[in-house]
């Protein structure tokens, strides 16, 4: 059990703390284009992760058990990067238990030997331009006075048609294969709008509306089940795991709709989902880009099966109890 918890905290430190700190700093150091919305998203995700960590540390000195483990070492080093480069006192004061934990760890003898004196940054680094500095112009060299001027030979002008052919045309951006599918009668944004705006009589309005809109030729429905539910022993770590998955699925927003349920009133918690995808398969570009996909078993919904169709209904409306168990949380991707 302890080893499983250590592994979960290592994943949390890497995926929720280190990754978001990296996304925040990268643009400030000029290693990527600075986009304020992207920075805000990284900071928001980081604060959400620090909030979860702060809650755990309110009643725990260390991440797992009563002594330092590998999880504490990795977490502390990731926090060190944040405390010394990005997170000022006004930022970290929202998370007092994280502050206490960090300063306790870095002042232990084994950490001090490596890190020395640790000082918290007083300001966030300014944004560095990604533009390359212009090259200095070469100074003109004076020619000897006695050297006669030579007339430069002009190359014969090329026909306009030939010149145009030589110009490199910009390569067109390759289209997503899903954009090349035949048009579908289902307008995904219409369904997302109906889902968001239905507050009462959900079955009669939203669920009925979904099946009225659904195009089985243009879209497909999929159940997914997390393969390692026995490891979901900490509620907020499980919730952050699902939140991170949905965040990384952002590239699929134009082509999909999803519901992710975290099930159970006590650990281990089960993670199950329902996804609507454009096309008849789970899109390959999502599988290639979102590593979380391989952590789930995927099963295509047979809408001719009334039991499976009813399960779709229950997942869309967050029915509780679901399959006999309470819902810890339900997250929507739209």
């Amino acid at each position: 059990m302890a080893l499983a918890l250590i592994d979960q905290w290592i994943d949390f430190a890497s995926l929720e703390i280190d990754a978001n700190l990296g996304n925040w700093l990268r643009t400030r150091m000029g290693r990527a284009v600075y986009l304020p919305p992207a920075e805000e998203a990284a900071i928001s995700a980081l604060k959400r992760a620090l909030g979860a960590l702060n809650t755990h540390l309110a009643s725990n000195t260390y991440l797992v058990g009563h002594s330092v483990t590998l999880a504490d070492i990795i977490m502390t080093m990731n926090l060190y990067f944040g405390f010394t480069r990005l997170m000022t006192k006004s930022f970290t004061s929202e998370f007092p238990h994280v502050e206490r934990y960090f300063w306790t760890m870095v002042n232990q003898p084994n950490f001090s030997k490596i890190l020395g004196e640790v000082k918290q940054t007083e300001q966030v680094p300014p944004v560095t331009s990604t533009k390359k500095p212009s090259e200095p112009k070469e100074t003109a060299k004076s020619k000897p006075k006695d050297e006669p001027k030579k007339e430069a030979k002009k190359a014969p002008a090329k026909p306009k048609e030939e010149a145009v052919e030589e110009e490199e045309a910009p390569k067109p951006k390759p289209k997503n294969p899903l954009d090349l599918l035949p048009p579908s009668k289902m307008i995904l944004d219409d369904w997302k709008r109906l889902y968001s705006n239905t507050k009462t009589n959900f079955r009669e309005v939203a669920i009925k509306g979904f099946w009225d809109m659904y195009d089985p030729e243009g879209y497909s429905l999929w159940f997914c089940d997390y393969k390692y539910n026995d490891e979901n022993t900490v509620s907020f770590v499980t919730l952050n795991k699902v939140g991170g998955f949905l965040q990384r699925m952002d590239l699929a927003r134009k082509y999909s709709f999803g519901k992710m349920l975290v099930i159970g009133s006590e650990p281990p918690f089960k993670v199950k989902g329902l996804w609507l995808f454009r096309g008849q398969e789970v899109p390959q570009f999502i599988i290639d880009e979102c590593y979380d996909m391989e952590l789930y078993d995927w099963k295509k919904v047979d809408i001719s099966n009334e039991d499976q169709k009813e399960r779709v209904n229950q997942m869309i409306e967050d029915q509780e109890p679901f399959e006999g168990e309470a819902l810890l949380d339900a997250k929507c991707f739209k």
Side-chain angles (χ1 to χ4, degrees):
M1 179 67 76
L3 290 176
L5 290 174
I6 289 170
D7 284 343
Q8 286 188 17
W9 278 113
I10 290 173
D11 286 344
F12 180 86
S14 301
L15 301 175
E16 304 297 338
I17 303 294
D18 186 54
N20 287 311
L21 283 169
N23 290 338
W24 184 4
L25 182 64
R26 195 173 295 113
T27 54
R28 295 239 155 206
M29 299 301 291
R31 295 174 187 168
V33 177
Y34 176 72
L35 299 171
E39 181 179 78
E40 289 170 13
I43 294 173
S44 176
L46 175 63
K47 284 188 173 183
R48 186 168 60 247
L50 290 173
L53 178 61
N54 193 67
T55 300
H56 178 72
L57 293 173
S59 55
N60 294 276
T61 303
Y62 303 102
L63 295 179
V64 182
H66 303 288
S67 60
V68 175
T69 65
L70 180 60
D72 294 296
I73 295 171
I74 292 174
M75 180 68 78
T76 300
M77 295 311 298
N78 288 342
L79 289 172
Y80 171 82
F81 172 70
F83 270 78
T84 58
R85 301 292 299 276
L86 287 163
M87 301 191 298
T88 61
K89 176 64 179 174
S90 61
F91 184 94
T92 59
S93 61
E94 295 181 39
F95 314 102
H97 302 298
V98 175
E99 286 188 321
R100 183 264 308 158
Y101 169 80
F102 175 74
W103 293 114
T104 298
M105 295 299 293
V106 297
N107 284 300
Q108 291 197 19
N110 288 334
F111 279 94
S112 295
K113 286 178 187 177
I114 304 298
L115 302 177
E117 184 183 0
V118 178
K119 291 184 178 180
Q120 187 167 6
T121 185
E122 295 181 355
Q123 62 180 9
V124 178
V127 177
T128 303
S129 173
T130 56
K131 291 182 179 179
K132 295 181 180 178
S134 56
E135 296 180 1
K137 294 181 180 179
E138 292 184 8
T139 53
K141 293 181 181 179
S142 57
K143 294 183 179 180
K145 289 181 180 179
D146 55 349
E147 185 180 334
K149 290 183 180 180
K150 294 181 180 179
E151 290 186 8
K153 292 183 179 180
K154 293 183 180 180
K158 295 182 179 180
K160 287 184 179 180
E161 293 81 8
E162 189 179 340
V164 170
E165 285 177 5
E166 285 188 1
E167 288 182 10
E168 259 191 49
K171 293 181 180 179
K173 188 178 179 182
K175 284 193 174 183
N176 189 303
L178 300 184
D179 293 328
L180 303 177
L181 293 174
S184 171
K185 69 175 185 179
M186 184 176 192
I187 309 300
L188 190 58
D189 285 342
D190 288 350
W191 156 241
K192 292 179 178 181
R193 196 174 300 112
L194 176 65
Y195 174 88
S196 299
N197 294 336
T198 303
K199 307 302 179 185
T200 58
N201 300 322
F202 199 86
R203 276 261 173 168
E204 293 76 10
V205 179
I207 299 295
K208 182 181 182 302
F210 174 78
W211 291 115
D212 288 343
M213 294 179 187
Y214 183 61
D215 171 20
E217 294 180 359
Y219 285 83
S220 56
L221 286 162
W222 295 79
F223 293 129
C224 67
D225 289 278
Y226 190 65
K227 295 178 181 178
Y228 311 104
N229 283 320
D230 57 329
E231 297 178 0
N232 295 331
T233 55
V234 181
S235 59
F236 70 84
V237 174
T238 305
L239 294 174
N240 273 283
K241 185 184 297 181
V242 174
F245 171 44
L246 296 181
Q247 189 176 13
R248 287 180 283 277
M249 284 289 285
D250 192 64
L251 76 167
R253 196 172 298 277
K254 179 182 174 183
Y255 310 98
S256 62
F257 170 87
K259 293 299 297 282
M260 295 297 293
L261 307 183
V262 182
I263 304 161
S265 54
E266 56 184 35
F269 303 101
K270 298 173 186 174
V271 178
K272 300 184 178 184
L274 167 73
W275 286 85
L276 171 72
F277 289 124
R278 183 77 165 97
Q280 295 304 307
E281 301 295 334
V282 177
Q284 187 60 46
F285 82 95
I286 302 175
I287 297 173
D288 293 340
E289 296 294 331
C290 184
Y291 70 86
D292 304 68
M293 298 290 286
E294 65 182 21
L295 303 178
Y296 291 83
D297 286 320
W298 294 87
K299 179 184 177 183
K300 195 171 187 178
V301 177
D302 177 4
I303 61 172
S304 65
N305 183 310
E306 288 301 321
D307 289 338
Q308 291 191 32
K309 194 171 180 179
E310 174 57 23
R311 190 171 189 254
V312 170
N313 296 341
Q314 293 175 9
M315 297 185 85
I316 291 176
E317 69 172 339
D318 306 335
Q319 179 172 300
E320 188 176 15
F322 179 76
E323 298 181 342
E325 296 186 77
L327 287 181
L328 177 65
D329 197 12
K331 297 181 181 291
C332 181
F333 178 89
K334 62 183 191 303

